[in-house]
Every structure is written in structure tokens, then in C-alpha cells.
Amino acid sequence: MPDCNVTVFRDGTRTILFDVGAGADFMPTAGELPDALGQIGVSLDEVTHVVFTHAHPDHIWGVLDDFDDPLMPNATYLMGRREWDYWWNPETVNSIGPDRAAFAVGAKRRMEAIEGMVELVDDGQEILPGIAAHASFGHTPGHMSYEIRNGGQSVLILGDAVGNPHVAFERPDWPSGTDQDAAMAAATRARLLDHAAQDQMQVIGFHFPQSGIGRVERAGDAFRYVGETA
Ligand SMILES: [Zn+2]
């Protein structure tokens, strides 16, 4: 299983998680979130917000505990409206194709468990103070990335809109088999990397190595990833 970088952002009032990982149901090596949070002094009870980039297993399945209750009982759960509507739709399990039908079943079950605690967000919306949603559709139909601004610093949480720090930077136009709409995802990737390079933002890729934090530099027609070791 590749690295899964759950981002934790604390602003003094809120404790915000971006995605929650896969949980123990997806793969035996997953399900380490509670321990990982404990190691940095964050208890599950104090998480105020969980913000999802998308509803794939390795991003949302960890949202429930062993009793199928929400793992973060006091949190508000935020997801892009289009993403929510896609996985909530009972037709999706039939239309998504056999390879991903289990994704649809698994997402729906978890979304039903948190339905009463969810707020849906739209492109361009300031979802929390200093945090804006950026539509980054393609990897999934309603994938969202999030920009955190804190004084002069900014960081772009890419989710899986940019899947890896190699090919996706050097050839952002190349289609990737992990993207549901490969052409749309390629256009999204180029746009996000351009934005991050232009504004000299930090980026965090969910599956990038070594905690996933880096910067984006232009390299001719393409881009280069400069990782920052945490
Ligand atoms: Zn992923």
C-alpha cells in the first residue's frame, strides 16, 4: 500500500483532518489513524472537522470505528457536493463498472453513518476561516482540493488530483488508469500544478512519499516536485 498522508491542521480553535485513510477493513496495514493522531497529541474526541477530498476507500473508509460508529464523534464532516451526490446515487454502483463497484458500496455505507453530521461544500467556497475549496474533478467526479492560507503562507491539499510526484509532474497530460475520467483529471492536474507553481505554494499529495509535503517548480513545459522532509 502506498503512503497515505492524512493532514492535520490546528488553528488554536479547530482541529481539522483532511481525509481519514482506509481503516482496518480495506487492508490490514491500514487503520493506524488513531495511533498516529495519539502520537502527535490529538485525541479523536477533539477533532472538530473532517474534510474529504473524495470518497475512495483509502480516504473515507477509516471514518467508522469497529462498531460502525463515527470515529470522530464530535466532528462535522465536509465533502464536495458533487462528490457526495455521485456516491449517494443508488445508480452509481451499477454504472461505475465491476472494478469499482465495491468502492461505491463501501462509500455509501460510510456516508449513511455520517449523514446527519455532514456539510456539503462547493467550488470556491471558504469552507472554514482561511480554507477554500477548489474543484479538482477527474480522479473522481466531484474530487475537491483545499487551499489553506495562513498569513503569507499557503498550502494546497491536492488529495489524489495529483497522484504521484514523478510522472504526474513531468507529464501532467498523460492519462492515469486510477482516474475515473482521465482526460478531465489531466486538465485538472495541469491547472493545479500551474497554480501552485505560480503562487509558490506548498503542496501536500495524499500518496506522495515522506509525509507528502513539497513545492512545485516549473520545468520547461512541465513541472518538478521539490520534496521537503518533515
Ligand atoms: Zn487515494
Side-chain angles (χ1 to χ4, degrees):
M1 186 158 183
D3 290 319
C4 291
N5 303 305
V6 172
T7 301
V8 182
F9 179 67
R10 305 172 94 173
D11 66 4
T13 312
R14 301 170 195 82
T15 299
I16 304 165
L17 299 191
F18 290 86
D19 293 331
V20 296
D25 288 352
F26 187 54
M27 284 189 182
T29 53
E32 295 162 1
L33 181 66
D35 284 349
L37 290 176
Q39 281 172 21
I40 59 167
V42 176
S43 75
L44 298 171
D45 288 351
E46 72 183 283
V47 174
T48 57
H49 299 84
V50 176
V51 182
F52 293 110
T53 60
H54 64 300
H56 272 171
D58 51 327
H59 298 256
I60 194 175
W61 282 22
V63 78
L64 302 182
D65 66 15
D66 292 344
F67 303 98
D68 280 356
D69 291 320
L71 191 63
M72 276 69 68
N74 302 316
T76 299
Y77 295 82
L78 293 87
M79 189 187 290
R81 187 179 308 278
R82 183 179 294 210
E83 185 72 0
W84 180 274
D85 288 348
Y86 177 73
W87 298 103
W88 194 259
N89 185 339
E91 282 307 309
T92 293
V93 67
N94 302 317
S95 62
I96 197 169
D99 291 353
R100 292 186 172 119
F103 290 11
V105 174
K108 184 78 183 286
R109 180 161 85 75
R110 281 146 185 100
M111 289 160 61
E112 284 169 353
I114 58 170
E115 186 186 4
M117 306 159 82
V118 162
E119 277 179 21
L120 301 183
V121 304
D122 295 299
D123 181 29
Q125 183 182 334
E126 186 172 22
I127 62 166
L128 289 164
I131 305 178
H134 279 288
S136 48
F137 305 156
H139 180 69
T140 59
H143 190 287
M144 282 283 192
S145 299
Y146 298 94
E147 181 171 338
I148 304 176
R149 288 201 176 268
N150 195 351
Q153 293 258 25
S154 57
V155 55
L156 187 59
I157 308 224
L158 297 167
D160 285 358
V162 181
N164 67 73
H166 318 294
V167 181
F169 279 68
E170 286 153 30
R171 295 304 307 262
D173 55 320
W174 278 10
S176 164
T178 66
D179 295 330
Q180 196 168 326
D181 182 330
M184 188 188 288
T188 291
R189 201 153 45 234
R191 180 167 49 78
L192 287 179
L193 291 175
D194 186 61
H195 176 53
Q198 187 79 32
D199 285 10
Q200 302 189 336
M201 306 174 76
Q202 283 185 308
V203 293
I204 301 178
F206 192 77
H207 298 297
F208 290 8
Q210 284 159 351
S211 85
I213 305 175
R215 289 181 183 278
V216 184
E217 288 180 355
R218 270 184 197 293
D221 289 342
F223 303 92
R224 182 187 305 118
Y225 177 68
V226 183
E228 293 175 11
T229 43

mmCIF file of all heavy atoms in Angstrom, residues 54 58-59 139 160 206-207, ligand 1:
data_model
loop_
_atom_site.group_PDB
_atom_site.id
_atom_site.type_symbol
_atom_site.label_atom_id
_atom_site.label_comp_id
_atom_site.label_asym_id
_atom_site.label_seq_id
_atom_site.Cartn_x
_atom_site.Cartn_y
_atom_site.Cartn_z
ATOM 1 N N HIS A 54 -12.245 13.161 -1.484
ATOM 2 C CA HIS A 54 -13.118 12.314 -2.283
ATOM 3 C C HIS A 54 -13.441 11.056 -1.480
ATOM 4 O O HIS A 54 -12.917 10.866 -0.377
ATOM 5 C CB HIS A 54 -12.508 11.996 -3.650
ATOM 6 C CG HIS A 54 -11.237 11.200 -3.625
ATOM 7 N ND1 HIS A 54 -10.089 11.634 -3.001
ATOM 8 C CD2 HIS A 54 -10.931 9.991 -4.167
ATOM 9 C CE1 HIS A 54 -9.135 10.731 -3.166
ATOM 10 N NE2 HIS A 54 -9.614 9.725 -3.865
ATOM 11 N N ASP A 58 -9.428 4.492 0.419
ATOM 12 C CA ASP A 58 -8.267 4.872 1.229
ATOM 13 C C ASP A 58 -8.385 6.286 1.794
ATOM 14 O O ASP A 58 -7.491 6.763 2.484
ATOM 15 C CB ASP A 58 -6.962 4.720 0.420
ATOM 16 C CG ASP A 58 -7.010 5.405 -0.929
ATOM 17 O OD1 ASP A 58 -8.091 5.459 -1.547
ATOM 18 O OD2 ASP A 58 -5.964 5.900 -1.380
ATOM 19 N N HIS A 59 -9.515 6.954 1.510
ATOM 20 C CA HIS A 59 -9.730 8.316 2.019
ATOM 21 C C HIS A 59 -10.891 8.406 2.992
ATOM 22 O O HIS A 59 -10.908 9.299 3.848
ATOM 23 C CB HIS A 59 -9.944 9.281 0.844
ATOM 24 C CG HIS A 59 -8.743 9.339 -0.043
ATOM 25 N ND1 HIS A 59 -7.851 10.393 -0.042
ATOM 26 C CD2 HIS A 59 -8.247 8.431 -0.928
ATOM 27 C CE1 HIS A 59 -6.864 10.143 -0.891
ATOM 28 N NE2 HIS A 59 -7.092 8.954 -1.453
ATOM 29 N N HIS A 139 -10.260 12.637 -11.042
ATOM 30 C CA HIS A 139 -9.906 11.397 -10.322
ATOM 31 C C HIS A 139 -11.189 10.709 -9.868
ATOM 32 O O HIS A 139 -11.355 9.507 -10.012
ATOM 33 C CB HIS A 139 -8.995 11.720 -9.142
ATOM 34 C CG HIS A 139 -8.582 10.509 -8.360
ATOM 35 N ND1 HIS A 139 -7.732 9.557 -8.866
ATOM 36 C CD2 HIS A 139 -8.921 10.067 -7.118
ATOM 37 C CE1 HIS A 139 -7.572 8.592 -7.964
ATOM 38 N NE2 HIS A 139 -8.291 8.882 -6.897
ATOM 39 N N ASP A 160 -5.904 13.282 -4.293
ATOM 40 C CA ASP A 160 -5.386 12.439 -5.366
ATOM 41 C C ASP A 160 -5.482 13.119 -6.730
ATOM 42 O O ASP A 160 -5.350 12.469 -7.761
ATOM 43 C CB ASP A 160 -6.148 11.107 -5.431
ATOM 44 C CG ASP A 160 -5.748 10.167 -4.298
ATOM 45 O OD1 ASP A 160 -4.857 10.525 -3.497
ATOM 46 O OD2 ASP A 160 -6.338 9.083 -4.211
ATOM 47 N N PHE A 206 -1.645 13.232 -1.202
ATOM 48 C CA PHE A 206 -2.060 12.186 -0.250
ATOM 49 C C PHE A 206 -1.155 10.963 -0.335
ATOM 50 O O PHE A 206 -0.884 10.320 0.673
ATOM 51 C CB PHE A 206 -3.519 11.792 -0.493
ATOM 52 C CG PHE A 206 -4.099 10.951 0.618
ATOM 53 C CD1 PHE A 206 -4.494 11.525 1.815
ATOM 54 C CD2 PHE A 206 -4.239 9.578 0.472
ATOM 55 C CE1 PHE A 206 -5.017 10.748 2.847
ATOM 56 C CE2 PHE A 206 -4.772 8.792 1.499
ATOM 57 C CZ PHE A 206 -5.158 9.381 2.685
ATOM 58 N N HIS A 207 -0.685 10.651 -1.540
ATOM 59 C CA HIS A 207 0.151 9.456 -1.697
ATOM 60 C C HIS A 207 1.606 9.784 -2.023
ATOM 61 O O HIS A 207 2.353 8.902 -2.453
ATOM 62 C CB HIS A 207 -0.431 8.538 -2.780
ATOM 63 C CG HIS A 207 -1.804 8.028 -2.450
ATOM 64 N ND1 HIS A 207 -2.067 7.234 -1.374
ATOM 65 C CD2 HIS A 207 -3.000 8.243 -3.057
ATOM 66 C CE1 HIS A 207 -3.369 6.956 -1.328
ATOM 67 N NE2 HIS A 207 -3.955 7.558 -2.343
HETATM 68 ZN ZN ZN B 1 -6.054 7.665 -2.709
#
